[in-house]
Amino acid sequence: MSFSPRQVARAGALALALAITACSHGPKAGPQLAPAPQTTPASEIDAILLLLDQGDSGAAKKRINAALKRDPMNPSVQVLRDSIDRDPKDLLGPTSFTYTTRDGDTMSGLAQRFLGNRLKAYQLARYNDIAKPADLVAGRTLRIPGEPPRIEAPRRSEPRPVPAAPTRVKPAAPRPAPVTKPTAPTVNRVAARQARATGLAALNSGNVVRAVGLLRRAAALDPGNPVIARDLTRAERIAATVKARK
């Protein structure tokens, strides 16, 4: 059976129309979702803060840029970035008061105490033209942004009436044997401060195990120092993170 050229052309057009219809009703790909940003762990924030404490803003800047690529809206990373890029007077304001550092003071501790955020330690250091916050020593005069804290005068207490002496004197009770108090541990703040600085330097260079040992020695030399205790806790947490990654 033979077909005319017109019939062949009509049949080809019909087949093409059926193919287009089938394609238009096929399954459609759903929208592609962007991957969720990765959050920056607290150990990375502490590592950047340690670099700034040692005055190594270049290495800190590289880690900040990498963290912002993963987590661009992280407020802690943004504070650390502004600490390097922006003028500290624009960040903290021109008004300030003087403060003389004491034994055990650190830049991060002063930033937490006066500015309410330990991550602003490098801002406070640059505010006082200090390139390496870890070198802060007792007796240095700093400019602290803001108004000085108000000191309230002590209230006068009314004198209490003296009770009348009793008429009858009771026999004195036997005195208990004196209790020997345990000897307080010897505190060596100078050696503790040196061990802490060496430990932070070891932690900054990646020697976490040596850093933990030095900070534990600093804590033993000055057991009541909250700054050393916080640094030791942070170093032990970084050591645990490094060990878990192996």
Side-chain angles (χ1 to χ4, degrees):
M1 182 178 180
S2 61
F3 296 93
S4 64
R6 180 177 296 180
Q7 289 176 331
V8 173
R10 184 177 298 176
L14 179 60
L16 179 60
L18 291 175
I20 294 174
T21 304
C23 293
S24 62
H25 289 81
K28 296 182 178 180
Q32 298 294 327
L33 299 178
Q38 300 179 2
T39 57
T40 304
S43 58
E44 179 66 13
I45 300 296
D46 291 336
I48 297 173
L49 192 61
L50 283 175
L51 288 173
L52 293 177
D53 196 46
Q54 295 298 321
D56 194 351
S57 59
K61 183 66 174 178
K62 292 181 180 178
R63 301 188 74 154
I64 289 171
N65 291 336
L68 287 175
K69 288 182 179 179
R70 298 188 304 266
D71 189 8
M73 301 306 295
N74 188 293
S76 298
V77 182
Q78 291 176 352
V79 170
L80 295 175
R81 177 198 60 193
D82 292 342
S83 300
I84 299 175
D85 294 342
R86 297 182 57 185
D87 187 344
K89 290 185 179 180
D90 292 340
L91 293 170
L92 303 176
T95 304
S96 64
F97 61 95
T98 58
Y99 172 80
T100 303
T101 58
R102 304 172 183 176
D103 192 17
D105 279 344
T106 62
M107 200 64 73
S108 58
L110 295 176
Q112 181 65 40
R113 175 181 173 186
F114 293 112
L115 305 180
N117 190 345
R118 69 185 182 93
L119 300 181
K120 295 183 178 181
Y122 196 63
Q123 297 181 20
L124 183 59
R126 292 182 59 213
Y127 197 88
N128 288 274
D129 299 324
I130 297 176
K132 187 177 180 182
D135 291 341
L136 184 67
V137 295
R140 175 158 184 168
T141 301
L142 299 179
R143 292 182 298 114
I144 305 298
E147 298 292 339
R150 296 182 180 180
I151 301 176
E152 296 184 358
R155 297 180 180 179
R156 295 183 179 180
S157 58
E158 296 293 334
R160 296 181 180 180
V162 180
T167 55
R168 296 180 61 184
V169 179
K170 295 182 180 181
R175 296 181 179 180
V179 179
T180 304
K181 296 182 179 180
T183 305
T186 304
V187 177
N188 190 339
R189 293 189 174 89
V190 175
R193 185 165 60 250
Q194 293 175 351
R196 172 181 174 268
T198 308
L200 292 177
L203 186 63
N204 181 41
S205 63
N207 195 341
V208 182
V209 175
R210 184 168 184 268
V212 172
L214 288 169
L215 289 173
R216 286 177 179 172
R217 180 171 178 269
L221 291 171
D222 191 0
N225 193 317
V227 177
I228 296 177
R230 185 178 67 245
D231 290 338
L232 175 59
T233 301
R234 185 167 67 250
E236 290 176 341
R237 183 175 60 199
I238 295 174
T241 302
V242 173
K243 184 178 180 181
R245 292 177 179 176
K246 292 183 178 179

